[in-house]
């Protein structure tokens, strides 16, 4: 599958009210479960070559930027924005929203929190055809770039 890379320069970010907090090490099992639920049946179901959320989260951890990665916690984690660092570049590695919580602005809220925490350029790779992610990034000021 092809992917498009998007970039967002630092700038104003909408303030959205939700129960957000930075991710912590104790969240890994909940994030893995959330990832499996959120990606099941989508174009990204086999992200990273598998559908094992624990493997994906373990793969993210070595490059994780915890102070800029946020979860929406509504009596359990229902959305997450996970940021990684590759060299000098910050990447929006994952945006995850529980299927029952989609359409409530939680994906936008967690990504906006990440952008505020970084105040730096951020890149995001999106699988071609992942229209919800493309819309979310456009809403937050990301634009496609050549890489």
């Amino acid at each position: 599958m092809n992917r498009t890379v998007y970039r967002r320069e630092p700038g104003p970010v909408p303030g959205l009210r939700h129960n957000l907090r930075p991710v912590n090490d104790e969240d890994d099992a909940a994030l893995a479960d959330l990832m499996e639920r959120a990606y099941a049946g989508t174009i990204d179901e086999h992200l990273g070559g598998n559908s094992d959320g624990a493997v994906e989260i373990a793969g993210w951890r070595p490059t994780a930027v915890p102070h800029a990665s946020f979860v929406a916690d509504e009596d359990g984690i229902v959305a997450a924005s996970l940021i990684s660092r590759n060299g000098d570049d910050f990447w929006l590695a994952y945006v995850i929203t529980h299927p029952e919580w989609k359409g409530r602005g939680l994906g936008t809220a967690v990504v906006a929190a990440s952008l505020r925490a970084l105040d730096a350029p951020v890149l995001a790779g999106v699988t071609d055809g992942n229209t919800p992610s493309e819309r979310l990034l456009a809403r937050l000021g990301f634009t496609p770039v050549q890489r």
Side-chain angles (χ1 to χ4, degrees):
M1 281 186 213
N2 292 329
R3 294 175 68 80
T4 301
V5 174
Y6 293 80
R7 180 181 173 98
R8 184 185 190 279
E9 295 298 325
V13 179
L16 303 167
R17 293 187 178 178
H18 291 285
N19 294 323
L20 306 181
R21 64 171 174 77
V23 71
N24 61 54
D25 293 342
E26 292 78 38
D27 292 330
D28 286 7
L31 289 169
D33 180 64
L34 176 63
M35 183 176 283
E36 289 175 15
R37 290 173 186 265
Y39 290 165
T42 72
I43 197 166
D44 287 326
E45 183 169 21
H46 298 290
L47 192 65
N50 66 78
S51 57
D52 186 335
V55 171
E56 293 294 325
I57 296 301
W60 166 73
R61 274 292 175 186
T63 60
V65 183
H67 80 275
S69 298
F70 284 83
V71 296
D73 195 337
E74 301 286 342
D75 294 324
I77 296 174
V78 296
S81 170
L82 305 181
I83 301 292
S84 62
R85 186 164 194 158
N86 183 357
D88 291 334
D89 294 326
F90 290 105
W91 284 84
L92 177 56
Y94 300 99
V95 178
I96 316 164
T97 304
H98 192 287
E100 294 175 7
W101 287 80
K102 287 186 183 283
R104 300 184 194 189
L106 292 168
T108 301
V110 290
V111 174
S114 291
L115 295 172
R116 272 192 302 281
L118 287 172
D119 193 31
V122 177
L123 298 164
V126 177
T127 304
D128 290 349
N130 184 340
T131 306
S133 289
E134 292 167 344
R135 281 193 304 247
L136 181 143
L137 294 178
R139 200 167 35 250
L140 288 170
F142 283 81
T143 56
V145 296
Q146 299 293 322
R147 290 223 11 124

